[in-house]
Amino acid sequence: ILNVEQSPQSLHVQEGDSTNFTCSFPSSNFYALHWYRWETAKSPEALFVMTLNGDEKKKGRISATLNTKEGYSYLYIKGSQPEDSATYLCAFPSDHSGGGADGLTFGKGTHLIIQP
Amino acid sequence: DGGITQSPKYLFRKEGQNVTLSCEQNLNHDAMYWYRQDPGQGLRLIYYSQIVNDFQKGDIAEGYSVSREKKESFPLTVTSAQKNPTAFYLCASSPYRGTYEQYFGPGTRLTVT
């Protein structure tokens, strides 16, 4: 079973501040790295799927970077808003039969709370 | 609206009984997945299916069974052999191409006493 680590486990941020957190994953046999946002009482929702080393993706105030050689990805949130409060999950395709449609191995998530 | 439905939202069963959790999608996705969440743990993969009439064990398949007779449906049976069945169960689907990003249902919380 693959090991996907996320840090920190939880984070309290003042509204308007920017923040970032980390996902570490195995650097060998890289295929893709997924980021999901999971708001309370809702379903997890995909933010990014990253496949290329050095890739940077952006969606509004949220962006992510990827370093496949050293096995980490950062998620950044600029100017945090209360609606950004959620658990952010990263995930790596599980090492079963190979290929992108394998299930995912998830980290435990970073629980982000934005304080007004 | 296109999406994934899971029913019921809450399910209660007595120990020793098998129970089947429903998952239906109308996104025309080929791949479907079942995950389990326990407190303090990441989502863990139970089973997945990349195509109709085929499915693969995930990391924690013991005590579970699935079927994939239709593209739209991927029911999960929690058998009496599953030692700790009380958990939150999430179903997901993805297209079998492109980025393979997964789309999740609302989940079923199963309590076995």
Side-chain angles (χ1 to χ4, degrees), chain A residues 1-2 9 31-32 34 36 38 42-49 89 94 96-109, chain B residues 31 33 35 37 40-45 48 50 56-60 88 90 94-96 98-107:
Chain A
I1 296 178
L2 301 173
Q9 192 172 355
Y31 188 89
H34 294 227
Y36 292 84
W38 194 356
K42 294 187 177 180
S43 306
E45 177 187 35
L47 287 171
F48 308 111
V49 178
L89 304 171
S94 301
H96 293 282
S97 59
D102 276 2
L104 297 172
T105 295
F106 283 83
K108 293 181 181 180
Chain B
Y33 313 84
Y35 295 93
Q37 190 199 31
Q41 299 221 34
L43 295 175
R44 291 185 292 166
L45 180 66
Y48 65 103
Q50 296 178 340
Q56 308 292 332
K57 291 183 179 180
D59 299 316
I60 55 165
F88 185 67
L90 272 172
S94 76
Y96 194 59
T99 62
Y100 304 100
E101 70 178 48
Q102 295 190 8
Y103 295 73
F104 286 84

Side-chain angles (χ1 to χ4, degrees), chain A residues 11-20 80 112-116:
Chain A
L11 197 50
H12 288 70
V13 174
Q14 287 295 125
E15 183 177 351
D17 288 351
S18 296
T19 188
N20 66 84
S80 303
L112 176 65
I113 298 170
I114 307 302
Q115 296 168 324

Side-chain angles (χ1 to χ4, degrees), chain A residues 23-41:
Chain A
C23 173
S24 301
F25 53 85
S27 56
S28 60
N29 298 320
F30 179 83
Y31 188 89
L33 192 282
H34 294 227
W35 280 102
Y36 292 84
R37 175 171 58 198
W38 194 356
E39 296 177 67
T40 302

Side-chain angles (χ1 to χ4, degrees), chain A residues 52-82:
Chain A
L52 298 174
N53 184 42
D55 207 4
E56 181 171 343
K57 289 189 180 281
K58 190 174 180 181
K59 183 182 282 190
R61 294 177 293 98
I62 304 176
S63 61
T65 61
L66 179 68
N67 184 322
T68 61
K69 294 178 191 282
E70 297 182 34
Y72 65 83
S73 176
Y74 293 132
L75 191 79
Y76 299 90
I77 302 178
K78 186 177 177 182
S80 303
Q81 299 297 310

